[in-house]
């Protein structure tokens, strides 16, 4: 009952307030992400399901308790440089009112000819920072990564899951099929103008019953360069598969004293 009330509270916040590791899959060669402020014409849409445990093993009425991660790989099969648009559509409680953060602004991604990029859980979480000057740090995030393109793409999602600790226990790979949707997309900036920009909000709040007396991790670093609270430092998260000493330049970390 407490968890149900927390979900209802979150839906209310989404509708009424103006706020808003790395899983080890590195961007594949010949991919680049650039800051944009322009409009592009697209003809194809891909909606890849994402399920991401970000701070603690997930436990509610939807999925079994465990750690869930998603990686979405996007490949440009053409011989031309293209610009894509991508956003995240958050899955909220059925019947809840639409909120300011249910759907993020679009970000632009440039793919070179035959280039590819990997989008992981912490990249997806970064779409919620900042929006209207606020960043949301989710303990768990579920929804869709929506990709719009002027040309057909190869889009493949990789899903892994495990118990609270240990190595991966299940893996699934899904090829995402396109829909023909012609649309002009306005791109927003791909990242904050300053590292850590934006007031931060945790969902659920770190002192809530949703954590079942477990202490949630404080995420830091990564592509968004998330800062730690005063008096704490950012170190590598040993529970993920991203090794900063082995090519993981954008690994997310955890805050420790």
């Amino acid at each position: 009952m407490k968890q149900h009330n927390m979900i209802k509270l979150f839906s209310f916040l989404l509708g009424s307030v103006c706020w808003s590791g790395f899983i080890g899959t590195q961007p594949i060669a010949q991919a680049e992400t650039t800051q944009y402020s322009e409009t592009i014409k697209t003809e194809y849409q891909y909606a890849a399901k994402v399920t991401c445990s970000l701070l603690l093993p997930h436990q509610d009425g939807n999925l079994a308790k465990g750690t869930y991660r998603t990686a979405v790989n996007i490949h440009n099969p053409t011989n031309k440089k293209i610009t894509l648009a991508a956003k995240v559509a958050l899955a909220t409680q059925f019947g809840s009112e639409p909120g300011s953060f249910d759907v993020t602004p679009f970000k632009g991604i440039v793919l070179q000819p035959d280039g590819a990029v990997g989008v992981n859980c912490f990249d997806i979480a970064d779409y919620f920072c900042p929006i209207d000057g606020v960043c949301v740090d989710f303990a768990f995030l579920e929804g869709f990564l929506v990709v719009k393109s002027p040309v057909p793409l190869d889009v493949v999602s990789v899903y892994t899951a495990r118990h609270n600790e240990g190595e991966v226990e299940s893996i699934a790979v899904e090829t995402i099929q396109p829909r023909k949707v012609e649309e002009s997309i306005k791109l927003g900036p791909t990242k904050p103008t300053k590292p850590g920009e934006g007031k931060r909000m945790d969902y659920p709040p770190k002192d809530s019953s949703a954590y079942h007396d477990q202490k949630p991790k404080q995420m830091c670093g990564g592509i968004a360069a998330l800062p730690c609270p005063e008096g704490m430092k950012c170190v590598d998260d040993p529970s993920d598969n991203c090794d900063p000493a082995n090519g993981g330049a954008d690994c997310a970390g955890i805050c420790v004293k």
Side-chain angles (χ1 to χ4, degrees):
M1 180 63 69
K2 289 183 178 180
Q3 188 119 11
H4 177 71
N5 290 337
M6 285 298 303
I7 295 174
K8 292 180 68 177
L9 174 60
F10 182 49
S11 298
F12 172 77
L13 288 173
L14 287 175
S16 61
V17 182
C18 288
W19 57 267
S20 110
F22 195 72
I23 64 174
T25 302
Q26 296 294 319
I28 304 170
Q30 294 186 318
E32 60 181 89
T33 303
T34 310
Q35 186 167 343
Y36 286 91
S37 180
E38 62 177 278
T39 299
I40 63 171
K41 293 183 178 181
T42 63
E43 295 186 23
Y44 298 89
Q45 175 178 294
Y46 300 80
K49 175 66 180 176
V50 294
T51 305
C52 296
S53 304
L54 297 166
L55 300 180
L56 278 178
H58 180 60
Q59 180 176 345
D60 70 2
N62 298 322
L63 296 169
K65 184 177 181 181
T67 298
Y68 299 86
R69 294 291 169 85
T70 301
V72 181
N73 292 324
I74 306 167
H75 172 243
N76 171 19
T78 75
N79 61 0
K80 296 182 180 180
K81 182 178 179 178
I82 62 172
T83 299
L84 313 177
K87 66 180 179 181
V88 178
L90 185 69
T92 57
Q93 185 183 18
F94 180 77
S96 62
E97 293 294 326
S100 302
F101 295 86
D102 289 354
V103 182
T104 71
F106 278 101
K107 295 183 180 182
I109 301 173
V110 171
L111 285 180
Q112 300 295 336
D114 201 32
V117 67
V119 183
N120 62 72
C121 278
F122 291 96
D123 297 327
I124 293 164
D126 190 37
Y127 274 75
F128 295 89
C129 181
I131 300 176
D132 292 336
V134 178
C135 299
V136 183
D137 294 326
F138 288 95
F140 182 82
L141 191 153
E142 187 175 7
F144 291 89
L145 177 70
V146 180
V147 178
K148 292 181 176 288
S149 170
V151 300
L153 303 170
D154 301 318
V155 180
V156 178
S157 293
V158 181
Y159 305 97
T160 58
R162 61 175 171 82
H163 284 93
N164 300 351
E165 302 294 340
E167 302 298 325
V168 61
E169 294 174 315
S170 70
I171 184 169
V173 178
E174 179 184 6
T175 299
I176 310 302
Q177 300 300 322
R179 287 188 173 92
K180 195 72 182 291
V181 180
E182 296 186 9
E183 190 174 1
S184 293
I185 303 298
K186 185 176 181 180
L187 300 175
T190 61
K191 58 184 178 180
T193 55
K194 297 179 181 179
E197 180 184 354
K199 178 181 177 182
R200 308 207 72 85
M201 176 177 287
D202 298 315
Y203 182 77
K206 286 192 168 71
D207 58 353
S208 75
S209 61
Y211 292 101
H212 303 283
D213 298 325
Q214 298 183 67
K215 186 177 180 180
K217 300 175 183 178
Q218 173 69 57
M219 185 177 69
C220 60
I223 293 176
L226 303 178
C228 287
E230 186 176 352
M232 302 184 76
K233 63 180 180 179
C234 187
V235 301
D236 180 50
D237 184 355
S239 66
D240 64 21
N241 297 324
C242 189
D243 184 359
N246 190 26
D250 294 320
C251 293
I254 54 175
C255 296
V256 298
K257 291 185 177 180

